[in-house]
Amino acid sequence: DCRMTLGEWLDKWLDEYMMFTLRESTIEGYRCMAEHQIKRFIGNKQLSSLTTADVQRFYNKVKKEGRTKPHPISGYELSNTMVRKVHMLLHQALDVAVKERLIVRNPTDGTTIPKKTTTEKQVLDDSQLERFMEAIKEEPYWNDFFYVEIMTGLRRGEICGIKWSDINFDDGTLCIRRSVGRSRGNGITVGETKTGAGVRKIIMPPSVQSLLERKRTEAINE
């Protein structure tokens, strides 16, 4: 096992050590990151010969060339946040390799990664919101989805995971119990909400309740 490559170890780590500790969508995100940002650059490096200097050179390179497709503004450069996520994944995987005695020490220790940066969230003002609400009226398929999203603040996956049994029209409440996402190969996954606190009950605005009542009637009559 000590002769396996870093890429082979990442696959083994995800399949055998992380499968039952993370949500399926998180596992898929890790696989994607391992494939596109790690294995692409140093996946063929033998695990036991990986050094801190190798990892540092990798971080420097993936920062500049980590995107598989160019961004309109950033080009192929990764954000600081993404590089930090790559470091976190690699550090966790190699920590397990140390515990399994495949390597003596974790080569991510002692490396330097970009500082944490936060970008200001863009929030629609009243006039922008009004324009958006008018625009979605032209999209019959998406209008109801975006309307519910805007009026409730629910995540996309949470809205996709709503069942009629989650809605209590008598007291005007909606229970959020699951989240629907997309896996590799465009498959659909149904799992828990993003956090434990995500399981909750909200009071529906009257306009949302009316919309959902109408959609239920349409579904029954189809």
Side-chain angles (χ1 to χ4, degrees):
D1 281 352
C2 65
R3 294 180 180 179
M4 73 172 65
T5 65
L6 175 60
E8 290 171 337
W9 169 246
L10 288 174
D11 290 339
K12 184 181 179 72
W13 173 67
L14 287 169
D15 290 338
E16 298 181 12
Y17 294 86
M18 305 303 292
M19 184 60 66
F20 300 111
T21 63
L22 297 173
R23 297 168 65 231
E24 186 175 352
S25 59
T26 303
I27 288 285
E28 290 297 330
Y30 277 20
R31 289 192 193 282
C32 184
M33 198 186 308
E35 191 71 33
H36 297 301
Q37 273 76 47
I38 302 178
K39 293 163 71 173
R40 186 158 62 98
F41 291 96
I42 56 171
N44 292 328
K45 186 77 174 178
Q46 188 170 307
L47 185 63
S48 59
S49 65
L50 192 64
T51 66
T52 298
D54 292 330
V55 177
Q56 187 64 65
R57 284 192 292 269
F58 160 65
Y59 287 159
N60 297 341
K61 189 173 183 64
V62 79
K63 167 64 179 172
K64 295 179 181 180
E65 307 172 18
R67 289 183 184 271
T68 54
K69 296 180 181 179
H71 185 272
I73 299 176
S74 306
Y76 288 95
E77 184 173 337
L78 284 182
S79 66
N80 288 0
T81 299
M82 191 63 190
V83 177
R84 292 175 68 88
K85 288 181 178 180
V86 169
H87 167 72
M88 179 190 71
L89 186 154
L90 194 56
H91 180 79
Q92 289 181 346
L94 294 177
D95 254 357
V96 176
V98 173
K99 293 176 181 177
E100 293 296 321
R101 299 184 180 180
L102 298 176
I103 54 178
V104 176
R105 62 182 296 273
N106 191 329
T108 64
D109 292 337
T111 57
T112 301
I113 58 175
K115 293 182 178 179
K116 184 177 181 179
T117 55
T118 56
T119 56
E120 185 177 352
K121 295 186 182 298
Q122 296 182 347
V123 181
L124 300 180
D125 60 31
D126 290 345
S127 62
Q128 292 171 329
L129 185 58
E130 288 178 5
R131 291 210 310 272
F132 182 78
M133 298 293 280
E134 285 299 318
I136 62 176
K137 290 179 181 179
E138 303 299 321
E139 299 289 340
Y141 184 81
W142 287 107
N143 177 74
D144 295 347
F145 179 91
F146 283 121
Y147 188 84
V148 172
E149 185 177 42
I150 288 173
M151 297 300 291
T152 62
L154 297 177
R155 297 183 176 92
R156 177 180 59 186
E158 293 174 337
I159 296 177
C160 291
I162 295 173
K163 296 182 178 181
W164 292 120
S165 58
D166 299 325
I167 305 173
N168 188 324
F169 289 105
D170 293 331
D171 62 9
T173 59
L174 170 62
C175 288
I176 310 303
R177 296 189 173 97
R178 69 195 67 80
S179 182
V180 172
R182 177 175 293 173
S183 62
R184 299 176 76 179
N186 291 329
I188 300 299
T189 62
V190 180
E192 300 174 349
T193 55
K194 187 174 179 65
T195 64
V199 178
R200 62 202 186 278
K201 180 184 290 188
I202 66 170
I203 298 176
M204 294 183 291
S207 59
V208 171
Q209 179 166 342
S210 297
L211 184 153
L212 293 177
E213 286 177 335
R214 174 173 53 80
K215 289 191 72 67
R216 182 179 63 169
T217 301
E218 292 173 354
I220 293 173
N221 294 332
E222 285 183 354

